[in-house]
Amino acid sequence: MSDAPFDLVDAKDTFTDSDWFHTCRETQTPYVVVRSGERSADVLWDYITLPPCCDARLRRNFSALEREARAIFERFSQPESYLRIKPTMICFDHLRVDQAKSAAAALYRLITHYLPETVITRSTAISTDSQRPLPPTDRPKTRSLWVEESGLA
């Protein structure tokens, strides 16, 4: 497995069923994915794997987080790229495939900057380990649907 703080998935595949998703959920670390197609790639960060203790801090710092995410997007985007951002999700859509990995790593670092110290410690350990922790092999492959409500608990 790669030591990158994100996962690479094919645009046709579901990514919430991946080992990386389950690892991030179990370790409560930022979930960043690069969905790669033939001509472009999308970068996604989803709040779903973070613990509730992150809610207030991310919301309190959302203006700065949004500004810095936009700066990352601008650095790696192309004319047909677009940005979707809210407190629980950031997406950079239609980046060049070769730029998406760098954008994903930068986005992961940005998210960890806004997390409580206990989560940052775990996040840093995963992003610097030579291998990601492996999820349990006895877990059944299940699909889940995440629906964002108007406010976080």
Side-chain angles (χ1 to χ4, degrees), residues 64-110:
L65 175 65
E66 180 180 19
R67 184 178 55 253
E68 293 175 49
R70 285 182 187 281
I72 293 169
F73 173 76
E74 291 299 324
R75 188 170 56 215
F76 296 106
S77 66
Q78 54 188 354
E80 58 271 10
S81 301
Y82 59 95
L83 171 68
R84 295 179 288 146
I85 187 166
K86 56 186 177 178
T88 58
M89 188 182 315
I90 298 173
C91 301
F92 304 153
D93 295 318
H94 301 293
L95 301 180
R96 286 189 1 230
V97 174
D98 61 329
Q99 294 291 309
K101 291 178 186 178
S102 297
L107 183 58
Y108 183 91
R109 285 189 303 273
L110 174 63

Side-chain angles (χ1 to χ4, degrees), residues 6-68:
F6 57 86
D7 196 14
L8 296 170
V9 296
D10 189 275
K12 294 175 235 148
D13 295 338
T14 177
F15 51 88
T16 57
D17 238 3
S18 72
D19 290 344
W20 183 236
F21 172 78
H22 292 293
T23 297
C24 290
R25 190 161 77 184
E26 288 172 9
T27 58
Q28 299 182 330
T29 54
Y31 177 59
V32 178
V33 175
V34 175
R35 291 187 72 186
S36 181
E38 289 182 25
R39 297 181 195 170
S40 68
D42 301 334
V43 175
L44 165 78
W45 164 71
D46 193 322
Y47 176 89
I48 193 168
T49 60
L50 295 178
C53 67
C54 298
D55 292 356
R57 188 165 181 170
L58 287 171
R59 289 196 183 276
R60 183 175 54 248
N61 294 298
F62 181 66
S63 294
L65 175 65
E66 180 180 19
R67 184 178 55 253
E68 293 175 49

Side-chain angles (χ1 to χ4, degrees), residues 111-145:
I111 298 303
T112 60
H113 177 76
Y114 288 100
L115 299 180
E117 188 64 37
T118 56
V119 177
I120 293 171
T121 303
R122 272 188 241 119
S123 300
T124 304
I126 286 180
S127 67
T128 58
D129 282 349
S130 60
Q131 292 203 343
R132 296 180 185 156
L134 297 175
T137 56
D138 60 345
R139 176 188 303 106
K141 292 288 184 179
T142 59
R143 295 180 189 245
S144 60
L145 173 64

